[in-house]
Amino acid sequence: MSPETVKLAVVQMHVTDQLEDNVSRAIAHVRDAAAQGAQVILLPELFENLYFCQVEREEYFDLAHPLEGHPFVGRFQELARELGVVLPLSYFEKAGQAHYNSLVCIDADGTLLGNYRKTHIPDGPGYEEKYYFNPGDTGFRVWDTRFGRVGVGICWDQWYPETARVMMLQGADFLLYPTAIGSEPAEVESPNSHHMWQRAMIGHAVSNSTYVAAANRIGTERVGDLEQTYYGHTFISDYTGEMVAEFGDTEEGPLLHTLNLREARKFRAGMGFFRDRRPELYGPLLTTDGVTRRG
């Protein structure tokens, strides 16, 4: 049975090109969050290294590792067990000849509950993820943890209402998104702003009557001959779309808020969004061009 409340922390941090530096700092942030009472703690996407997807370079495939025997996942299992916290953990996965942008959910006793492979893979200047990552093959995942049913998408997934809706249909109590996002190259017309990014996820909060939170990195990173500045603005939205906690573009550490899951469930039922759905009419969503073909 899901708890009535959960204390959530989302971590904002800078990242270097040194694995041990990043992992040690991430562990320190997790300890800090747990000391403040956090029960579920989310670190940013691919916090183990610089966001290498700025460029296409063969050598960056060396950063990927299988989940079994992974260089740092086991350390976070031990940390989760020690502190009694849930850790949805982003990492670069190698599986046979495939590579994935993945996340493993670690329960509060250190158990690995399962693996999620990022579904939506972006491809654009400064975000060349299709070069590195196979499209995820796990489907969307929701995990029963000690502190509720946790649904997690990864970065680009956060722009898709389908991701949020599927996880809610699977019974998620709240939605989390580890991310790495910031400035665009000069030739790109997309806005260099956190506002649209936040609004997309706040829309998921409203249309699903659920808490939504995202953890972003900060700082300027140079990879190859490119440079990006990550805009932070890690945040937590409540089930009505109100921003209840937010960092700016420089703060580092855990951002905390207590989620009232009981009130969210009651509000969600009263809004009727899930009662009034018409899935039998949503066939075009299963196509790429909006034309449902029969026979």
Side-chain angles (χ1 to χ4, degrees):
M1 185 174 180
S2 292
E4 293 199 351
T5 64
V6 169
K7 194 159 190 179
L8 171 68
V10 281
V11 173
Q12 183 163 289
M13 60 183 282
H14 78 280
V15 173
T16 71
D17 62 356
Q18 298 298 312
L19 174 66
E20 183 55 38
D21 174 51
N22 297 322
V23 170
S24 295
R25 194 155 11 85
I27 288 173
H29 289 318
V30 170
R31 289 190 178 281
D32 183 12
Q36 297 181 59
Q39 297 164 306
V40 178
I41 304 169
L42 181 71
L43 291 159
E45 178 190 24
L46 298 174
F47 65 89
E48 62 195 270
N49 210 296
L50 301 177
Y51 182 71
F52 54 88
C53 306
Q54 289 188 54
V55 298
E56 297 183 3
R57 299 286 189 275
E58 293 176 359
E59 59 264 29
Y60 291 123
F61 285 103
D62 291 339
L63 298 174
H65 298 279
L67 178 55
E68 185 175 354
H70 193 275
F72 65 76
V73 169
R75 293 172 64 179
F76 284 93
Q77 287 183 264
E78 294 172 3
L79 186 67
R81 185 181 306 113
E82 174 195 343
L83 300 176
V85 297
V86 173
L87 297 176
L89 194 73
S90 173
Y91 72 105
F92 186 11
E93 180 188 8
K94 178 176 173 58
Q97 301 304 318
H99 298 82
Y100 297 98
N101 187 337
S102 297
L103 178 140
V104 65
C105 190
I106 305 172
D107 207 354
D109 62 358
T111 301
L112 295 183
L113 296 180
N115 198 43
Y116 169 65
R117 292 168 172 167
K118 186 173 178 176
T119 301
H120 302 98
I121 311 297
D123 181 28
Y127 298 89
E128 308 278 355
E129 293 199 15
K130 278 189 168 65
Y131 177 76
Y132 294 100
F133 306 130
N134 294 77
D137 59 0
T138 59
F140 302 113
R141 302 295 307 274
V142 170
W143 291 285
D144 278 308
T145 77
R146 183 182 297 178
F147 302 114
R149 287 181 60 82
V150 179
V152 189
I154 301 174
C155 203
W156 195 231
D157 289 333
Q158 68 206 355
W159 297 91
Y160 290 82
E162 297 89 346
T163 303
R165 180 52 54 88
V166 169
M167 290 192 291
M168 291 303 296
L169 288 171
Q170 292 174 337
D173 286 316
F174 52 96
L175 303 180
L176 304 178
Y177 297 97
T179 191
I181 190 168
S183 62
E184 303 280 354
E187 68 272 17
V188 176
E189 295 183 4
S190 300
N192 291 314
S193 166
H194 67 276
H195 297 291
M196 188 170 71
W197 171 75
Q198 288 181 333
R199 288 177 192 135
M201 287 177 278
I202 288 171
H204 305 329
V206 171
S207 59
N208 291 283
S209 300
T210 190
Y211 287 95
V212 173
N216 197 13
R217 61 177 69 195
I218 54 172
T220 298
E221 299 178 16
R222 187 170 186 84
V223 179
D225 57 356
L226 292 183
E227 188 174 89
Q228 284 180 330
T229 299
Y230 299 90
Y231 52 54
H233 285 276
T234 291
F235 74 95
I236 302 171
S237 167
D238 77 3
Y239 52 87
T240 71
E242 288 296 321
M243 192 86 74
V244 292
E246 181 187 12
F247 275 150
D249 56 8
T250 59
E251 293 98 329
E252 177 150 355
L255 181 72
L256 288 89
H257 185 76
T258 298
L259 315 185
N260 191 327
L261 302 183
R262 179 179 179 275
E263 288 300 315
R265 286 192 290 269
K266 184 171 68 172
F267 182 83
R268 186 182 309 123
M271 285 299 298
F273 292 144
F274 291 88
R275 178 198 63 209
D276 298 338
R277 292 181 68 252
R278 296 291 305 279
E280 72 276 13
L281 301 180
Y282 300 160
L285 293 177
L286 303 179
T287 72
T288 55
D289 62 0
V291 179
T292 303
R293 296 169 177 81
R294 303 182 186 280

mmCIF file of all heavy atoms in Angstrom, residues 5-41:
data_model
loop_
_atom_site.group_PDB
_atom_site.id
_atom_site.type_symbol
_atom_site.label_atom_id
_atom_site.label_comp_id
_atom_site.label_asym_id
_atom_site.label_seq_id
_atom_site.Cartn_x
_atom_site.Cartn_y
_atom_site.Cartn_z
ATOM 1 N N THR A 5 2.406 10.133 2.707
ATOM 2 C CA THR A 5 3.331 11.207 2.350
ATOM 3 C C THR A 5 4.707 10.623 2.056
ATOM 4 O O THR A 5 5.058 9.552 2.560
ATOM 5 C CB THR A 5 3.465 12.256 3.477
ATOM 6 O OG1 THR A 5 4.029 11.631 4.627
ATOM 7 C CG2 THR A 5 2.119 12.875 3.810
ATOM 8 N N VAL A 6 5.474 11.337 1.252
ATOM 9 C CA VAL A 6 6.849 10.955 0.925
ATOM 10 C C VAL A 6 7.677 12.227 0.873
ATOM 11 O O VAL A 6 7.253 13.230 0.269
ATOM 12 C CB VAL A 6 6.938 10.226 -0.426
ATOM 13 C CG1 VAL A 6 8.395 10.079 -0.866
ATOM 14 C CG2 VAL A 6 6.295 8.860 -0.348
ATOM 15 N N LYS A 7 8.852 12.197 1.459
ATOM 16 C CA LYS A 7 9.753 13.343 1.360
ATOM 17 C C LYS A 7 10.719 13.090 0.207
ATOM 18 O O LYS A 7 11.514 12.150 0.235
ATOM 19 C CB LYS A 7 10.517 13.577 2.662
ATOM 20 C CG LYS A 7 11.195 14.955 2.704
ATOM 21 C CD LYS A 7 11.509 15.395 4.114
ATOM 22 C CE LYS A 7 11.961 16.852 4.140
ATOM 23 N NZ LYS A 7 12.255 17.314 5.521
ATOM 24 N N LEU A 8 10.638 13.939 -0.801
ATOM 25 C CA LEU A 8 11.414 13.795 -2.036
ATOM 26 C C LEU A 8 12.558 14.802 -2.069
ATOM 27 O O LEU A 8 12.395 15.951 -1.637
ATOM 28 C CB LEU A 8 10.501 14.038 -3.244
ATOM 29 C CG LEU A 8 11.171 14.140 -4.614
ATOM 30 C CD1 LEU A 8 11.761 12.804 -5.050
ATOM 31 C CD2 LEU A 8 10.171 14.656 -5.657
ATOM 32 N N ALA A 9 13.696 14.371 -2.588
ATOM 33 C CA ALA A 9 14.807 15.286 -2.865
ATOM 34 C C ALA A 9 15.247 15.103 -4.312
ATOM 35 O O ALA A 9 15.389 13.964 -4.787
ATOM 36 C CB ALA A 9 15.986 15.026 -1.939
ATOM 37 N N VAL A 10 15.446 16.205 -5.008
ATOM 38 C CA VAL A 10 16.025 16.189 -6.349
ATOM 39 C C VAL A 10 17.331 16.981 -6.279
ATOM 40 O O VAL A 10 17.371 18.082 -5.744
ATOM 41 C CB VAL A 10 15.064 16.772 -7.406
ATOM 42 C CG1 VAL A 10 14.007 15.757 -7.794
ATOM 43 C CG2 VAL A 10 14.380 18.041 -6.912
ATOM 44 N N VAL A 11 18.392 16.382 -6.808
ATOM 45 C CA VAL A 11 19.732 16.936 -6.640
ATOM 46 C C VAL A 11 20.156 17.710 -7.884
ATOM 47 O O VAL A 11 20.037 17.222 -9.008
ATOM 48 C CB VAL A 11 20.747 15.813 -6.351
ATOM 49 C CG1 VAL A 11 22.176 16.364 -6.343
ATOM 50 C CG2 VAL A 11 20.422 15.148 -5.014
ATOM 51 N N GLN A 12 20.654 18.920 -7.658
ATOM 52 C CA GLN A 12 21.259 19.734 -8.719
ATOM 53 C C GLN A 12 22.762 19.793 -8.455
ATOM 54 O O GLN A 12 23.183 20.075 -7.333
ATOM 55 C CB GLN A 12 20.645 21.129 -8.711
ATOM 56 C CG GLN A 12 21.157 22.045 -9.818
ATOM 57 C CD GLN A 12 20.245 23.242 -10.025
ATOM 58 O OE1 GLN A 12 19.140 23.105 -10.536
ATOM 59 N NE2 GLN A 12 20.701 24.414 -9.631
ATOM 60 N N MET A 13 23.569 19.527 -9.506
ATOM 61 C CA MET A 13 25.016 19.468 -9.282
ATOM 62 C C MET A 13 25.776 19.761 -10.566
ATOM 63 O O MET A 13 25.252 19.605 -11.666
ATOM 64 C CB MET A 13 25.421 18.093 -8.745
ATOM 65 C CG MET A 13 25.079 16.925 -9.651
ATOM 66 S SD MET A 13 25.502 15.293 -8.923
ATOM 67 C CE MET A 13 27.286 15.270 -9.220
ATOM 68 N N HIS A 14 27.033 20.198 -10.396
ATOM 69 C CA HIS A 14 27.919 20.338 -11.545
ATOM 70 C C HIS A 14 28.641 19.018 -11.752
ATOM 71 O O HIS A 14 28.682 18.153 -10.858
ATOM 72 C CB HIS A 14 28.921 21.479 -11.327
ATOM 73 C CG HIS A 14 30.058 21.135 -10.430
ATOM 74 N ND1 HIS A 14 29.974 21.138 -9.041
ATOM 75 C CD2 HIS A 14 31.334 20.763 -10.712
ATOM 76 C CE1 HIS A 14 31.125 20.796 -8.513
ATOM 77 N NE2 HIS A 14 31.986 20.557 -9.502
ATOM 78 N N VAL A 15 29.212 18.854 -12.945
ATOM 79 C CA VAL A 15 29.837 17.586 -13.322
ATOM 80 C C VAL A 15 31.191 17.868 -13.965
ATOM 81 O O VAL A 15 31.348 18.859 -14.691
ATOM 82 C CB VAL A 15 28.913 16.810 -14.293
ATOM 83 C CG1 VAL A 15 29.609 15.584 -14.840
ATOM 84 C CG2 VAL A 15 27.621 16.407 -13.589
ATOM 85 N N THR A 16 32.160 16.992 -13.688
ATOM 86 C CA THR A 16 33.488 17.110 -14.288
ATOM 87 C C THR A 16 33.751 15.881 -15.164
ATOM 88 O O THR A 16 32.877 15.021 -15.323
ATOM 89 C CB THR A 16 34.568 17.213 -13.205
ATOM 90 O OG1 THR A 16 34.701 15.934 -12.551
ATOM 91 C CG2 THR A 16 34.221 18.274 -12.180
ATOM 92 N N ASP A 17 34.970 15.783 -15.680
ATOM 93 C CA ASP A 17 35.324 14.626 -16.512
ATOM 94 C C ASP A 17 35.987 13.521 -15.692
ATOM 95 O O ASP A 17 36.590 12.604 -16.254
ATOM 96 C CB ASP A 17 36.232 15.044 -17.671
ATOM 97 C CG ASP A 17 37.563 15.625 -17.214
ATOM 98 O OD1 ASP A 17 37.758 15.780 -15.984
ATOM 99 O OD2 ASP A 17 38.407 15.921 -18.080
ATOM 100 N N GLN A 18 35.847 13.579 -14.372
ATOM 101 C CA GLN A 18 36.445 12.586 -13.486
ATOM 102 C C GLN A 18 35.348 11.789 -12.776
ATOM 103 O O GLN A 18 34.583 12.332 -11.971
ATOM 104 C CB GLN A 18 37.352 13.257 -12.453
ATOM 105 C CG GLN A 18 38.522 14.004 -13.058
ATOM 106 C CD GLN A 18 39.454 13.081 -13.830
ATOM 107 O OE1 GLN A 18 39.845 12.022 -13.329
ATOM 108 N NE2 GLN A 18 39.812 13.468 -15.049
ATOM 109 N N LEU A 19 35.271 10.500 -13.096
ATOM 110 C CA LEU A 19 34.228 9.647 -12.541
ATOM 111 C C LEU A 19 34.193 9.688 -11.020
ATOM 112 O O LEU A 19 33.135 9.899 -10.422
ATOM 113 C CB LEU A 19 34.423 8.203 -13.033
ATOM 114 C CG LEU A 19 33.494 7.155 -12.422
ATOM 115 C CD1 LEU A 19 32.056 7.391 -12.839
ATOM 116 C CD2 LEU A 19 33.930 5.743 -12.824
ATOM 117 N N GLU A 20 35.339 9.488 -10.384
ATOM 118 C CA GLU A 20 35.356 9.411 -8.934
ATOM 119 C C GLU A 20 34.932 10.727 -8.293
ATOM 120 O O GLU A 20 34.236 10.737 -7.269
ATOM 121 C CB GLU A 20 36.742 9.001 -8.436
ATOM 122 C CG GLU A 20 36.835 8.823 -6.928
ATOM 123 C CD GLU A 20 35.808 7.842 -6.383
ATOM 124 O OE1 GLU A 20 35.530 6.815 -7.044
ATOM 125 O OE2 GLU A 20 35.259 8.108 -5.287
ATOM 126 N N ASP A 21 35.333 11.834 -8.883
ATOM 127 C CA ASP A 21 34.921 13.145 -8.381
ATOM 128 C C ASP A 21 33.408 13.273 -8.412
ATOM 129 O O ASP A 21 32.774 13.691 -7.440
ATOM 130 C CB ASP A 21 35.579 14.243 -9.216
ATOM 131 C CG ASP A 21 35.086 15.629 -8.839
ATOM 132 O OD1 ASP A 21 35.105 15.968 -7.640
ATOM 133 O OD2 ASP A 21 34.669 16.384 -9.742
ATOM 134 N N ASN A 22 32.803 12.900 -9.533
ATOM 135 C CA ASN A 22 31.356 13.025 -9.688
ATOM 136 C C ASN A 22 30.606 12.086 -8.751
ATOM 137 O O ASN A 22 29.621 12.487 -8.110
ATOM 138 C CB ASN A 22 30.959 12.743 -11.136
ATOM 139 C CG ASN A 22 31.559 13.743 -12.103
ATOM 140 O OD1 ASN A 22 31.665 14.926 -11.806
ATOM 141 N ND2 ASN A 22 31.977 13.263 -13.263
ATOM 142 N N VAL A 23 31.048 10.835 -8.694
ATOM 143 C CA VAL A 23 30.371 9.857 -7.845
ATOM 144 C C VAL A 23 30.491 10.244 -6.378
ATOM 145 O O VAL A 23 29.507 10.189 -5.619
ATOM 146 C CB VAL A 23 30.925 8.448 -8.099
ATOM 147 C CG1 VAL A 23 30.401 7.456 -7.059
ATOM 148 C CG2 VAL A 23 30.540 7.972 -9.505
ATOM 149 N N SER A 24 31.664 10.672 -5.950
ATOM 150 C CA SER A 24 31.854 11.064 -4.549
ATOM 151 C C SER A 24 30.976 12.254 -4.191
ATOM 152 O O SER A 24 30.384 12.306 -3.100
ATOM 153 C CB SER A 24 33.325 11.401 -4.287
ATOM 154 O OG SER A 24 34.140 10.267 -4.450
ATOM 155 N N ARG A 25 30.881 13.219 -5.096
ATOM 156 C CA ARG A 25 30.047 14.388 -4.824
ATOM 157 C C ARG A 25 28.568 13.999 -4.817
ATOM 158 O O ARG A 25 27.781 14.495 -3.995
ATOM 159 C CB ARG A 25 30.332 15.481 -5.859
ATOM 160 C CG ARG A 25 29.797 16.835 -5.485
ATOM 161 C CD ARG A 25 30.545 17.982 -6.139
ATOM 162 N NE ARG A 25 31.445 17.548 -7.179
ATOM 163 C CZ ARG A 25 31.081 17.327 -8.444
ATOM 164 N NH1 ARG A 25 29.819 17.507 -8.790
ATOM 165 N NH2 ARG A 25 31.972 16.948 -9.342
ATOM 166 N N ALA A 26 28.176 13.114 -5.731
ATOM 167 C CA ALA A 26 26.790 12.646 -5.752
ATOM 168 C C ALA A 26 26.443 11.934 -4.447
ATOM 169 O O ALA A 26 25.365 12.146 -3.869
ATOM 170 C CB ALA A 26 26.569 11.716 -6.941
ATOM 171 N N ILE A 27 27.350 11.104 -3.972
ATOM 172 C CA ILE A 27 27.120 10.404 -2.705
ATOM 173 C C ILE A 27 26.983 11.403 -1.565
ATOM 174 O O ILE A 27 26.112 11.254 -0.689
ATOM 175 C CB ILE A 27 28.265 9.402 -2.443
ATOM 176 C CG1 ILE A 27 28.133 8.210 -3.406
ATOM 177 C CG2 ILE A 27 28.257 8.931 -0.992
ATOM 178 C CD1 ILE A 27 29.300 7.240 -3.352
ATOM 179 N N ALA A 28 27.813 12.443 -1.556
ATOM 180 C CA ALA A 28 27.714 13.468 -0.518
ATOM 181 C C ALA A 28 26.363 14.159 -0.566
ATOM 182 O O ALA A 28 25.752 14.442 0.486
ATOM 183 C CB ALA A 28 28.849 14.480 -0.675
ATOM 184 N N HIS A 29 25.862 14.440 -1.772
ATOM 185 C CA HIS A 29 24.541 15.076 -1.901
ATOM 186 C C HIS A 29 23.439 14.146 -1.412
ATOM 187 O O HIS A 29 22.463 14.596 -0.779
ATOM 188 C CB HIS A 29 24.291 15.471 -3.355
ATOM 189 C CG HIS A 29 25.122 16.617 -3.833
ATOM 190 N ND1 HIS A 29 25.366 17.731 -3.071
ATOM 191 C CD2 HIS A 29 25.752 16.830 -5.033
ATOM 192 C CE1 HIS A 29 26.123 18.589 -3.760
ATOM 193 N NE2 HIS A 29 26.364 18.055 -4.944
ATOM 194 N N VAL A 30 23.560 12.864 -1.704
ATOM 195 C CA VAL A 30 22.564 11.901 -1.224
ATOM 196 C C VAL A 30 22.572 11.861 0.300
ATOM 197 O O VAL A 30 21.513 11.856 0.952
ATOM 198 C CB VAL A 30 22.828 10.504 -1.821
ATOM 199 C CG1 VAL A 30 21.960 9.449 -1.134
ATOM 200 C CG2 VAL A 30 22.548 10.502 -3.321
ATOM 201 N N ARG A 31 23.749 11.834 0.885
ATOM 202 C CA ARG A 31 23.840 11.831 2.353
ATOM 203 C C ARG A 31 23.227 13.102 2.944
ATOM 204 O O ARG A 31 22.530 13.055 3.971
ATOM 205 C CB ARG A 31 25.296 11.686 2.784
ATOM 206 C CG ARG A 31 25.888 10.304 2.531
ATOM 207 C CD ARG A 31 27.247 10.152 3.201
ATOM 208 N NE ARG A 31 27.794 8.816 2.992
ATOM 209 C CZ ARG A 31 27.441 7.739 3.664
ATOM 210 N NH1 ARG A 31 26.528 7.844 4.641
ATOM 211 N NH2 ARG A 31 27.985 6.574 3.413
ATOM 212 N N ASP A 32 23.485 14.218 2.314
ATOM 213 C CA ASP A 32 22.923 15.486 2.766
ATOM 214 C C ASP A 32 21.396 15.432 2.723
ATOM 215 O O ASP A 32 20.707 15.823 3.677
ATOM 216 C CB ASP A 32 23.462 16.617 1.885
ATOM 217 C CG ASP A 32 22.983 17.995 2.325
ATOM 218 O OD1 ASP A 32 22.413 18.135 3.428
ATOM 219 O OD2 ASP A 32 23.162 18.961 1.540
ATOM 220 N N ALA A 33 20.863 14.940 1.603
ATOM 221 C CA ALA A 33 19.411 14.852 1.453
ATOM 222 C C ALA A 33 18.804 13.928 2.503
ATOM 223 O O ALA A 33 17.779 14.241 3.126
ATOM 224 C CB ALA A 33 19.065 14.360 0.051
ATOM 225 N N ALA A 34 19.442 12.768 2.715
ATOM 226 C CA ALA A 34 18.929 11.818 3.700
ATOM 227 C C ALA A 34 18.968 12.416 5.101
ATOM 228 O O ALA A 34 18.059 12.187 5.918
ATOM 229 C CB ALA A 34 19.730 10.525 3.643
ATOM 230 N N ALA A 35 20.006 13.186 5.404
ATOM 231 C CA ALA A 35 20.110 13.826 6.714
ATOM 232 C C ALA A 35 18.982 14.823 6.945
ATOM 233 O O ALA A 35 18.603 15.096 8.091
ATOM 234 C CB ALA A 35 21.468 14.519 6.847
ATOM 235 N N GLN A 36 18.434 15.355 5.852
ATOM 236 C CA GLN A 36 17.302 16.284 5.943
ATOM 237 C C GLN A 36 15.954 15.568 5.881
ATOM 238 O O GLN A 36 14.914 16.211 5.823
ATOM 239 C CB GLN A 36 17.388 17.319 4.821
ATOM 240 C CG GLN A 36 18.608 18.212 4.882
ATOM 241 C CD GLN A 36 18.620 19.235 3.751
ATOM 242 O OE1 GLN A 36 17.697 20.048 3.624
ATOM 243 N NE2 GLN A 36 19.663 19.206 2.932
ATOM 244 N N GLY A 37 16.004 14.242 5.864
ATOM 245 C CA GLY A 37 14.772 13.470 5.925
ATOM 246 C C GLY A 37 14.267 12.935 4.603
ATOM 247 O O GLY A 37 13.187 12.323 4.560
ATOM 248 N N ALA A 38 15.010 13.127 3.519
ATOM 249 C CA ALA A 38 14.550 12.649 2.220
ATOM 250 C C ALA A 38 14.458 11.129 2.208
ATOM 251 O O ALA A 38 15.320 10.430 2.749
ATOM 252 C CB ALA A 38 15.487 13.124 1.116
ATOM 253 N N GLN A 39 13.418 10.636 1.554
ATOM 254 C CA GLN A 39 13.197 9.193 1.435
ATOM 255 C C GLN A 39 13.414 8.689 0.012
ATOM 256 O O GLN A 39 13.777 7.536 -0.195
ATOM 257 C CB GLN A 39 11.771 8.860 1.898
ATOM 258 C CG GLN A 39 11.518 9.187 3.363
ATOM 259 C CD GLN A 39 10.043 9.222 3.687
ATOM 260 O OE1 GLN A 39 9.257 9.932 3.049
ATOM 261 N NE2 GLN A 39 9.655 8.443 4.692
ATOM 262 N N VAL A 40 13.152 9.535 -0.971
ATOM 263 C CA VAL A 40 13.431 9.244 -2.381
ATOM 264 C C VAL A 40 14.336 10.364 -2.888
ATOM 265 O O VAL A 40 14.023 11.551 -2.699
ATOM 266 C CB VAL A 40 12.142 9.186 -3.226
ATOM 267 C CG1 VAL A 40 12.460 8.922 -4.693
ATOM 268 C CG2 VAL A 40 11.193 8.114 -2.684
ATOM 269 N N ILE A 41 15.452 9.993 -3.520
ATOM 270 C CA ILE A 41 16.463 10.986 -3.899
ATOM 271 C C ILE A 41 16.850 10.761 -5.357
ATOM 272 O O ILE A 41 17.298 9.672 -5.724
ATOM 273 C CB ILE A 41 17.702 10.896 -2.994
ATOM 274 C CG1 ILE A 41 17.293 11.051 -1.525
ATOM 275 C CG2 ILE A 41 18.729 11.967 -3.385
ATOM 276 C CD1 ILE A 41 18.392 10.708 -0.534
#
